[in-house]
C-alpha cells in the first residue's frame, strides 16, 4: 500500500480516537454533574443514565470506526485478530447499551400514558 495513504489513515485514526475520548469524557462529566443535581430526586436518575448511555454509544461507535480504519492498514494477522476481537466487544457493548436505552424509553412511554 502507498506510504502516504497509510500515513494519512494513521492521522485520521488518531483524530477519531481523540474525538471518541472527548465524547466519552464529556458524557461522563455531564452525567456526574447530573447525578450530583439529582441526589434529592431519585426519579430523575434514569434520565441521567440515559444521557450517559447515549454518549457511550456515540464514543464506542467512533472507536469502532477507528478500529475499522486501523484494520484496513494492518499488515499482521495477530493485529487483525486483536482488532477484530476489540471490534466485536465494542459492538456487543453498543448493542446492549442501545437495547437498555430502548427498554427504558418504552417504560417511560408506558408510565406517561397512565
Amino acid at each position: 500500500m502507498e506510504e502516504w495513504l497509510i500515513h494519512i489513515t494513521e492521522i485520521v485514526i488518531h483524530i477519531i480516537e481523540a474525538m471518541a475520548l472527548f465524547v466519552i469524557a464529556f458524557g461522563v462529566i455531564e452525567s456526574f454533574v447530573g447525578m450530583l443535581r439529582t441526589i434529592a430526586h431519585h426519579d430523575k436518575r434514569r434520565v441521567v443514565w440515559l444521557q450517559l448511555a447515549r454518549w457511550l454509544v456515540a464514543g464506542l461507535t467512533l472507536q469502532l470506526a477507528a478500529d475499522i480504519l486501523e484494520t484496513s492498514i494492518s499488515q499482521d494477522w495477530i493485529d487483525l485478530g486483536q482488532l477484530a476481537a476489540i471490534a466485536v466487544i465494542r459492538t456487543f457493548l453498543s448493542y446492549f447499551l442501545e437495547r437498555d436505552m430502548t427498554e427504558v424509553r418504552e417504560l417511560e412511554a408506558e408510565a406517561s400514558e397512565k
Side-chain angles (χ1 to χ4, degrees):
M1 190 177 289
E2 299 288 331
E3 288 299 317
W4 65 271
L5 189 56
I6 291 173
H7 183 67
I8 291 172
T9 304
E10 288 172 347
I11 292 170
V12 171
I13 289 167
H14 291 302
I15 291 169
I16 294 172
E17 287 175 342
M19 291 166 52
L21 172 84
F22 287 121
V23 165
I24 292 171
F26 181 80
V28 169
I29 292 167
E30 180 186 60
S31 297
F32 179 74
V33 171
M35 286 305 268
L36 291 177
R37 288 182 183 158
T38 62
I39 286 175
H41 306 285
H42 296 290
D43 58 328
K44 303 219 181 212
R45 288 185 183 170
R46 182 177 291 166
V47 174
V48 173
W49 181 86
L50 275 175
Q51 289 172 340
L52 176 60
R54 287 185 189 114
W55 286 112
L56 289 175
V57 168
L60 288 170
T61 303
L62 287 170
Q63 288 180 332
L64 184 59
D67 287 343
I68 290 169
L69 286 175
E70 194 168 353
T71 303
S72 71
I73 61 170
S74 178
Q75 298 178 3
D76 187 5
W77 282 102
I78 293 173
D79 291 341
L80 183 64
Q82 289 173 343
L83 288 170
I86 291 168
V88 167
I89 291 167
R90 287 185 181 151
T91 301
F92 276 108
L93 284 171
S94 291
Y95 169 77
F96 286 113
L97 280 170
E98 192 70 43
R99 190 187 72 179
D100 289 348
M101 288 174 15
T102 301
E103 287 177 8
V104 169
R105 277 190 233 120
E106 289 171 356
L107 288 172
E108 286 179 346
E110 288 175 9
S112 66
E113 289 176 359
K114 292 180 181 180

